Amino acid sequence: MDVQKFVEESREMIISKLHGKGILACSGGQDSTLLSMIAAPIKDIEIVFVDTGLLRLNEVERVKGLFEKFNVKYKLIDAKKIFLDNLKGVADPETKRKIIGKTFIDVFKEEAINFKATYLLQGTIAPDWIESGGASRDTIKSHHNVGGLPEDLGFQLIEPLRDLYKDEVREVSKYFGLPEVMPFPGPGLAIRIIGEVTEHRLEILKQATDILEKAVEDKYQGEKPWQYFCVLLPVKTTGVHGDQRTYGETIAIRMIDTLDGMTGTFSKPDWEILSDISANITDDVPEINRIVYDITDKPPATIEWE
Ligand code: XMP
């Protein structure tokens, strides 16, 4: 791929489509951060980074640091409360995704009034719309920025990354000197909490995820998996701590090797590292007393559990 040409053509495409002002939707993930870098020099675009409360530990700080390092102007919107309120009592994965998609749009609409924007720039990439269904394709899952969008969007969409796959996103990100980051889904930790999302369950998952990520980064032998994360299951099981019975939460660890996220095989790390991760999580997060490892490829499973 001719990366420089892609960047130039993307900028030309944005300028030719933007007849007014636009809001660029940044979730802090790899795709929308890349789009921010591409669009940053173009006038009449406001980059909006939404803190959904569904991000990982210290993630807001990481994204802020990145934008500051690259001198990208952005606006941070604290939408933690509205996302949690809207997700209250919801357990069904597709409903969750649709609520998250709609909440993002509601937040952008409010900001659009301030900024007088009628366009929405999104970092949608090919797997997002392929898996969201349409035409003769089945809906595998409604990606928050495609199938999760409300019908009455109220914005004209501009999506310069639509034809890229994950490996190409990485190539273009490299061109900008962006650090390699592991893919992270727009709906965030909400789709890694099976069942209802609550503040307490989010906190448990944030702690476990942080321990897992640090262990892989510090200790993994050989090339790291493409994506690795924790999923909080809606299953409580019996355990023992000292000589006390516990009845605690279960975490599933998912590590996946893939080229572009479309198909993949589960990673086969050393038992040593899995054993360390398991001990660290159960030692440091008292609510958790059981860890299981996901040994399913994609297909038949998808990478995320929801
Ligand atoms: P799946 O679960 O579909 O995941 O096999 C493939 C890749 O896409 C990420 N993913 C998402 N990314 N919005 C996103 O921006 C979404 O709604 C979404 N769902 C899954 C997932 O983390 C994996 O890298």
Side-chain angles (χ1 to χ4, degrees), residues 12-13 45 54 70 79 82 84 89 105 118 122 124 162 182 199-200 209 242 263 279 297:
E12 283 162 18
M13 184 269 241
I45 293 175
L54 307 171
F70 285 88
I82 169 171
L84 256 189
I105 295 301
T118 49
Q122 291 203 126
T124 311
R162 262 188 89 80
M182 185 175 29
E199 214 167 344
H200 185 56
T209 303
T263 59
D297 294 338

Side-chain angles (χ1 to χ4, degrees), residues 97 131 141 143-144 183 185-187 226-227 261 298 302-304:
R97 284 174 168 274
E131 293 197 339
K141 54 184 72 175
H143 284 246
H144 72 292
W226 189 81
Q227 204 173 9
K298 173 179 179 177
T302 53
I303 294 178
E304 303 289 346

Side-chain angles (χ1 to χ4, degrees), residues 135-154:
S136 58
R137 295 185 308 276
D138 193 21
T139 301
I140 309 297
K141 54 184 72 175
S142 302
H143 284 246
H144 72 292
N145 49 2
V146 187
L149 291 180
E151 273 174 27
D152 56 337
L153 185 61

Side-chain angles (χ1 to χ4, degrees), residues 217-231:
E217 273 139 38
D218 291 351
K219 298 190 187 144
Y220 205 91
Q221 306 285 328
E223 198 177 331
K224 290 198 287 286
W226 189 81
Q227 204 173 9
Y228 39 95
F229 55 88
C230 293
V231 182

